[in-house]
Amino acid sequence: MTSSASRDGSPGDSVTGDAATRLAGSFGFRDVAPDTKSGLVRGVFDSVAGRYDLMNDLMSLGVHRFWKAAMIDWLAPQPAGRFLDVAGGTGDIARLILERTDHRAEMTLLDINAMMLDRGRSRGLDEGWGRDISWVVGDAEALPFAPASFDYFTIAFGIRNVTHIDNVLAEAYRVLRPGGRFLCLEFSHLALPMLQRAYDTYSFSVLPRLGQWVAGDRESYVYLAESIRRFPDQATFRDLIGRHGLDQVSFRNLSGGIAAIHSAWRL
Ligand code: SAM
């Protein structure tokens, strides 16, 4: 499942280019003007921020914790590293990196949504890890950091929500130092087609009801299910990553492809 980058106008380029364009113009299943998408996404996370962590546990029955742990296992963080967690939300990935490096990592967490960050920061301060993180409000598509500032770039369940995925991947390349590591955890596409029906029932019937019941917000969880279906499959996303100079792109499926981790290096 490894690919070398296709930066030479190969046929895969039109498929990946189409995928990026489709994402920019869609909010779940709705076609939207790309310049309205980030406002719509912001509304989702403003609405769910207070119940975000609880909902993650409930809707995945805690499985998101195993996926995030698998990401950190593959990352194998070195304690002295400079880490950037993009779209870091309430801090799960940053916390796990800190724990794995005995709090020696130089950890920066960036998110566009101040409410998600506030939620994470107050949770982190209560639990004792929040002060080891530099919390930055910013846009993954235009990072406020100098080139080659980081050894590691992580993004978990964030890239599906941005408008221009190409900009994020270009920014990942720019802020990583040569030899730096890119790791992305995201919902993906089932590798076991016989599970599709049950998964669709869960996604489009159970999930919105759970969202309404726990977070008082049905629509945000409809968006979640729809945005997952709109996100490129594992191989297309792998090729998209490869278009931006990142190398040795590979992926691992989690839970039969419900989620996947994509890994790459800036060489
Ligand atoms: N990484 C966290 C986790 O795994 O629990 C949070 C993931 S949450 C599903 C998605 C996050 O992406 C939200 O906090 C949202 O504000 C953030 N986000 C969406 N668009 C963004 C952008 N353009 N730049 C930075 N963060 C963004």
Side-chain angles (χ1 to χ4, degrees):
M1 294 182 195
T2 306
S3 97
S4 52
S6 76
R7 272 161 276 155
D8 53 359
S10 64
D13 281 0
S14 61
V15 177
T16 52
D18 289 352
T21 307
R22 262 199 313 278
L23 267 185
S26 67
F27 177 71
F29 289 165
R30 268 168 60 197
D31 293 333
V32 297
D35 61 357
T36 62
K37 180 171 173 175
S38 72
L40 294 166
V41 170
R42 191 177 304 227
V44 167
F45 290 101
D46 280 350
S47 165
V48 304
R51 291 291 168 115
Y52 177 79
D53 295 309
L54 175 63
M55 268 305 284
N56 272 353
D57 277 333
L58 289 177
M59 70 186 177
S60 73
L61 300 174
V63 172
H64 77 104
R65 293 170 183 259
F66 293 99
W67 295 339
K68 288 170 177 167
M71 182 186 195
I72 306 302
D73 285 344
W74 201 5
L75 188 68
Q78 295 301 306
R82 296 163 301 166
F83 295 78
L84 174 63
D85 185 45
V86 171
T90 56
D92 276 359
I93 298 301
R95 174 178 53 80
L96 289 172
I97 291 171
L98 285 169
E99 285 172 6
R100 196 65 72 90
T101 58
D102 209 11
H103 289 255
R104 284 186 286 158
E106 193 182 301
M107 188 74 236
T108 303
L109 183 159
L110 174 136
D111 198 285
I112 205 165
N113 190 304
M115 287 177 72
M116 291 289 281
L117 282 190
D118 285 348
R119 187 80 194 166
R121 190 165 23 211
S122 61
R123 179 174 72 131
L125 291 175
D126 285 349
E127 295 173 7
W129 46 268
R131 74 181 70 84
D132 295 334
I133 297 175
S134 167
W135 302 81
V136 178
V137 177
D139 188 347
E141 295 191 36
L143 294 173
F145 306 114
S149 308
F150 296 97
D151 305 301
Y152 300 87
F153 178 109
T154 53
I155 181 164
F157 303 115
I159 206 156
R160 179 177 34 86
N161 295 293
V162 307
T163 304
H164 300 289
I165 197 168
D166 285 318
N167 291 346
V168 178
L169 295 169
E171 282 293 79
Y173 182 85
R174 185 184 67 80
V175 302
L176 276 172
R177 68 155 168 87
R181 181 83 184 279
F182 168 92
L183 221 60
C184 175
L185 169 62
E186 190 48 87
F187 288 108
S188 200
H189 292 258
L190 282 185
L192 303 169
M194 71 269 233
L195 296 181
Q196 192 67 51
R197 219 163 134 186
Y199 184 49
D200 285 346
T201 303
Y202 176 76
S203 304
F204 293 106
S205 298
V206 179
L207 203 54
R209 286 198 179 101
L210 199 59
Q212 179 62 47
W213 181 50
V214 178
D217 180 351
R218 182 178 187 284
E219 287 311 311
S220 290
Y221 291 89
V222 171
Y223 162 73
L224 170 64
E226 292 180 352
S227 66
I228 292 169
R229 298 310 188 281
R230 278 283 169 108
F231 194 71
D233 65 28
Q234 289 85 331
T236 306
F237 185 41
R238 176 196 60 200
D239 294 344
L240 243 173
I241 294 169
R243 287 201 315 175
H244 292 275
L246 293 162
D247 235 302
Q248 296 184 8
V249 191
S250 62
F251 67 85
R252 293 177 181 173
N253 282 332
L254 300 170
S255 304
I258 292 177
I261 305 170
H262 282 72
S263 163
W265 296 83
R266 180 190 168 162
L267 297 182

